[in-house]
Amino acid sequence: MSAPPTHSSRPAVTEREARQVAEAAREQDWRKPSFAKELFLGRFRLDLIHPHPLPADQDAQRGEEFLAKLRDFCETKIDSARIEREAQIPDEVVDGLKELGALGMKIDTKYGGLGLTQVYYNKALALVGSASPAIGALLSAHQSIGVPQPLKMFGTQEQKERFLPRCARTDISAFLLTEPDVGSDPARLATSAVPDGDDYVLDGVKLWTTNGVVADLLVVMARVPKSEGHKGGITAFVVEAGSEGVTVEHRNAFMGLRGLENGVTRFHRVRVPAANRIGPEGAGLKIALTTLNTGRLSLPAMCVGAGKWCLKIAREWSAAREQWGKPVAFHEAVGAKISFIAATTFALEAVVDLSSQMADEDRNDIRIEAALAKLYGSEMACLMADELVQIRGGRGFETAASLAARGERAVPAEQILRDLRINRIFEGSTEIMHLLIAREAVDAHLSVAGDLIDPDKSLSDKAKAGANAGVFYAKWLPKLVTGPGQLPRSYGEFRHGVDLSGHLRYVERTARKLARSTFYAMSRWQGRMETKQGFLGRVVDIGAELFAMSAACVRAELLRDQGDHGREAYQLADAFCRQSRIRVEELFGRLWSNTDDLDRKVVKGVLAGTYEWLEQGIVDPSGDGPWIADATPGPSERENVHRPIR
């Protein structure tokens, strides 16, 4: 057997090499239209999302039947307070979910799954996540990024037949990418998979393995060394969690999601059959990112559920609680918060449902839409939960158990704030999502002018790029001057009592303005554009607001057309768009008027110790130990806390 690697350091990579690894993992082509991509280019393609796509009747019937069963299970079998108190999902609840088929919601019926669409899968996650966010996380991690999704997209027929029936009914799966010193920079991935005959030998340590403590099957990303007959690179494997040499060394505890089975997993000379490799060597990161394109939709779906619960509690509490002779809801300071929660919940559901239905139809490329949904949903849900805590006042800060102990309704407002906070970090932090979306948003520019700002390109390459760019911008820039958004009768089909057409005209005009701003920034900063993360983040946030406004208007029109609360939907869409437009104008102002340059100077001073005197007058209650735990490959010295549920 080949000897395992003995190095204790991670691959040494430069910033440029790290970027090249990430770039190589991107989907390079746009084979289908994308509403969000067009939006960032200043082209408002309403035809791509309106009329709102709808699920097939049989898909809707199957989905509604399962939702009814799941609702009954949530109401009768899930004790959220117990999960919070014991920091663990009871085994009988997990067993019940297995019997219900909840592990196989997205798995095809021919493999024993339920075969739900993305729309109904997300509705199910919103429902079960409202009962217990920890259960929502377990089911999402298992199906959205665990074994089922990458096998569905990239697995061989033999792999699907071997593993998908297990995942549909009995086996919980987990996804293992992050390492103690590697997060969103996979170029430094240290876990290795050394070829040895018909096997690979895995060595390394993985951190924050959601479901890893109870998982039966793992998707593991490991680096295959390049050698004769082996292309090498980051590669994906299905690993049996009970294999010899796999040790769950620790179950992590967090500020929220206390029932989450998340741990640290060590691999020491773990033999994995080559038949368990997903895709070719070197395709692991691309598989992970492609899986996340739709997998990311599960997280904002649960944020929708959280928003609905926040609205319910805000409504009931604000009607019952009186101040100065009237319910607190009718005091403007509180009422504005309630309006924000209601309007934002409507818009967020519109974003998730629209993106999910487009994913089901597979007519559009939704990689940007899904990323925007994740980014926007995670940020806005945290704001809604924070506003709920504020509306509840001292009771919002008090735990549900304490409220119940003194005779009041056990409302876990502080818990939902804690539980939602991780969503701004899960599956790509807000900061990373800004960069990921920004890269996709400027893809058209880089494809025609990228060589102009690439220091490694020759003069002839730059000259060719200059010519191509001239042709592209000669056609593109004039189209950013005028458009339907300047015609008062545009989008007239969105006038029904409440007039939403003005909001869509605003989106069209603002998309062109955003594209002009992006072009100006690229002209100004050129190769330094990628370092302007503050600017890029604001560009993405504007795009997210425009996407949400578009989705809200289209959803309102759908509900009106169906005769399902259409008037009220128009009111909510109008309120959301007016709130959103205020945020957009503020973001535009901050594109060019900000403290980004000054902030960089202050940061350098902080790290140099220039302001260390400011830290005087406190004590630091932190414990001892390294900032990042040692992850040197080798045998485990800890007890295995792996706890499969059978």
Side-chain angles (χ1 to χ4, degrees):
M1 185 178 90
S2 303
T6 58
H7 64 278
S8 59
S9 61
R10 301 195 169 274
V13 294
T14 65
E15 180 180 2
R16 181 168 183 79
E17 289 170 337
R19 291 181 184 278
Q20 288 173 339
V21 169
E23 182 66 17
R26 283 183 61 249
E27 289 185 74
Q28 303 292 329
D29 301 323
W30 294 85
R31 292 178 294 275
K32 298 174 184 176
S34 165
F35 174 79
K37 177 176 180 285
E38 294 292 305
L39 198 65
F40 281 109
L41 284 170
R43 299 191 284 248
F44 181 46
R45 291 287 308 279
L46 184 62
D47 60 295
L48 293 177
I49 61 173
H50 173 69
H52 194 296
L54 291 170
D57 289 343
Q58 63 270 27
D59 291 334
Q61 180 179 351
R62 184 166 64 248
E64 293 294 343
E65 289 174 354
F66 176 71
L67 287 179
K69 296 176 184 177
L70 184 62
R71 174 175 288 278
D72 179 69
F73 184 87
C74 290
E75 292 175 342
T76 61
K77 303 298 183 183
I78 296 177
D79 183 348
S80 180
R82 178 186 173 187
I83 295 172
E84 177 72 3
R85 182 174 62 253
E86 298 179 358
Q88 185 171 296
I89 302 169
D91 287 2
E92 60 267 24
V93 172
V94 177
D95 289 336
L97 290 168
K98 291 180 180 181
E99 293 173 8
L100 201 62
L103 293 188
M105 287 187 283
K106 286 196 70 180
I107 297 175
D108 196 289
T109 53
K110 65 184 177 183
Y111 300 115
L114 299 180
L116 297 187
T117 62
Q118 186 73 38
V119 168
Y120 278 96
Y121 170 64
N122 285 342
K123 289 182 182 296
L125 288 178
L127 175 60
V128 76
S130 67
S132 168
I135 295 178
L138 181 146
L139 294 176
S140 172
H142 164 67
Q143 292 171 88
S144 298
I145 58 175
V147 170
Q149 190 66 16
L151 283 193
K152 176 183 176 181
M153 300 179 73
F154 299 100
T156 64
Q157 187 58 40
E158 190 272 338
Q159 288 173 335
K160 294 175 183 178
E161 292 173 356
R162 281 177 58 206
F163 296 118
L164 290 184
R166 293 170 57 183
C167 292
R169 291 290 174 180
T170 59
D171 288 21
I172 296 172
S173 67
F175 174 79
L176 281 64
L177 171 62
T178 305
E179 298 177 0
D181 196 26
V182 176
S184 299
D185 182 11
R188 299 170 59 246
L189 197 78
T191 297
S192 63
V194 178
D196 182 48
D198 293 331
D199 295 339
Y200 290 84
V201 181
L202 264 62
D203 282 273
V205 178
K206 295 293 185 179
L207 176 62
W208 296 324
T209 60
T210 298
N211 289 357
V213 177
V214 297
D216 304 284
L217 291 170
L218 314 171
V219 175
V220 181
M221 297 292 164
R223 183 183 301 279
V224 177
K226 188 174 183 179
S227 61
E228 185 177 350
H230 291 276
K231 176 184 177 182
I234 298 173
T235 306
F237 299 90
V238 178
V239 180
E240 298 279 356
S243 299
E244 183 178 355
V246 179
T247 305
V248 179
E249 296 189 327
H250 179 69
R251 182 182 187 266
N252 302 317
F254 303 100
M255 68 181 285
L257 293 183
R258 291 181 175 169
L260 196 68
E261 297 289 355
N262 179 296
V264 178
T265 302
R266 178 178 291 270
F267 299 91
H268 178 59
R269 299 183 181 179
V270 178
R271 299 190 71 86
V272 179
N276 285 23
R277 189 188 69 218
I278 308 175
E281 290 182 355
L285 193 55
K286 179 168 287 189
I287 288 171
L289 293 178
T290 305
T291 297
L292 279 172
N293 279 344
T294 53
R296 282 196 176 97
L297 289 173
S298 63
L299 192 150
M302 289 184 282
C303 290
V304 170
K308 289 174 178 285
W309 183 81
C310 288
L311 179 60
K312 178 180 186 295
I313 298 302
R315 172 179 58 81
E316 294 176 350
W317 165 250
S318 299
R321 174 64 164 161
E322 292 190 356
Q323 286 273 53
W324 299 305
K326 59 183 177 181
V328 294
F330 295 125
H331 291 284
E332 199 169 87
V334 175
K337 299 179 187 301
I338 297 172
S339 175
F340 166 73
I341 293 172
T344 304
T345 297
F346 176 82
L348 186 52
E349 185 171 36
V351 165
V352 172
D353 275 9
L354 178 62
S355 300
S356 301
Q357 186 58 44
M358 288 195 294
D360 286 330
E361 292 189 347
D362 201 27
R363 284 190 297 113
N364 294 354
D365 188 321
I366 65 153
R367 74 183 85 162
I368 300 182
E369 286 85 345
L372 287 172
K374 188 275 176 188
L375 168 68
Y376 197 72
S378 60
E379 290 290 325
M380 300 308 274
C382 279
L383 289 175
M384 288 190 286
D386 189 65
E387 293 288 43
L388 175 65
V389 168
Q390 192 70 19
I391 291 170
R392 288 274 290 162
R395 290 173 174 85
F397 193 67
E398 190 173 0
T399 67
S402 177
L403 289 165
R406 61 180 185 79
E408 290 193 359
R409 186 175 299 185
V411 178
E414 59 84 30
Q415 180 190 335
I416 198 170
L417 184 59
R418 289 187 286 103
D419 287 344
L420 285 171
R421 184 59 183 83
I422 187 57
N423 293 338
R424 296 174 61 200
I425 301 171
F426 262 170
E427 297 179 18
S429 69
T430 290
E431 294 73 25
I432 291 299
M433 296 306 297
H434 276 147
L435 298 181
L436 183 151
I437 298 168
R439 173 61 187 86
E440 300 295 354
V442 301
D443 183 61
H445 299 283
L446 293 179
S447 65
V448 298
D451 286 356
L452 282 173
I453 59 177
D454 189 337
D456 292 339
K457 295 297 181 180
S458 66
L459 288 176
S460 60
D461 288 335
K462 291 180 182 292
K464 183 179 179 181
N468 291 337
V471 173
F472 173 79
Y473 289 119
K475 294 180 179 179
W476 179 67
L477 286 170
K479 296 178 181 179
L480 301 182
V481 179
T482 61
Q486 292 167 292
L487 303 177
R489 296 186 180 277
S490 295
Y491 313 113
E493 66 269 33
F494 288 86
R495 291 193 191 100
H496 296 280
V498 175
D499 187 358
L500 298 182
S501 65
H503 298 311
L504 293 175
R505 290 195 297 274
Y506 176 84
V507 172
E508 196 278 335
R509 294 194 306 272
T510 307
R512 287 188 280 111
K513 180 180 178 181
L514 182 62
R516 292 194 301 268
S517 298
T518 304
F519 173 73
Y520 173 70
M522 290 192 66
S523 303
R524 175 180 175 181
W525 291 315
Q526 298 186 32
R528 293 185 295 126
M529 181 76 163
E530 66 182 20
T531 69
K532 303 296 181 179
Q533 295 180 3
F535 178 91
L536 292 172
R538 295 176 198 111
V539 166
V540 169
D541 286 340
I542 293 171
E545 294 283 1
L546 298 181
F547 177 40
M549 290 173 67
S550 304
C553 291
V554 168
R555 182 175 181 81
E557 175 58 16
L558 170 68
L559 295 179
R560 186 206 63 81
D561 185 61
Q562 293 180 330
D564 190 8
H565 306 292
R567 180 185 176 195
E568 296 83 2
Y570 258 65
Q571 291 171 345
L572 288 170
D574 183 46
F576 173 77
C577 289
R578 291 180 186 275
Q579 294 169 8
S580 179
R581 287 168 70 160
I582 293 172
R583 293 190 292 267
V584 167
E585 293 305 312
E586 179 185 352
L587 286 164
F588 265 114
R590 291 172 54 207
L591 279 182
W592 309 110
S593 179
N594 53 64
T595 61
D596 292 350
D597 291 339
L598 179 59
D599 292 341
R600 280 189 287 272
K601 293 178 182 178
V602 171
V603 168
K604 289 180 180 179
V606 169
L607 294 186
T610 304
Y611 312 120
E612 199 167 344
W613 51 269
L614 189 58
E615 301 166 13
Q616 295 175 5
I618 62 164
V619 294
D620 182 358
S622 305
D624 297 328
W627 286 105
I628 299 170
D630 180 40
T632 303
S636 179
E637 298 177 357
R638 298 194 179 193
E639 176 187 356
N640 189 357
V641 297
H642 182 225
R643 190 182 65 83
I645 300 173
R646 290 297 187 190

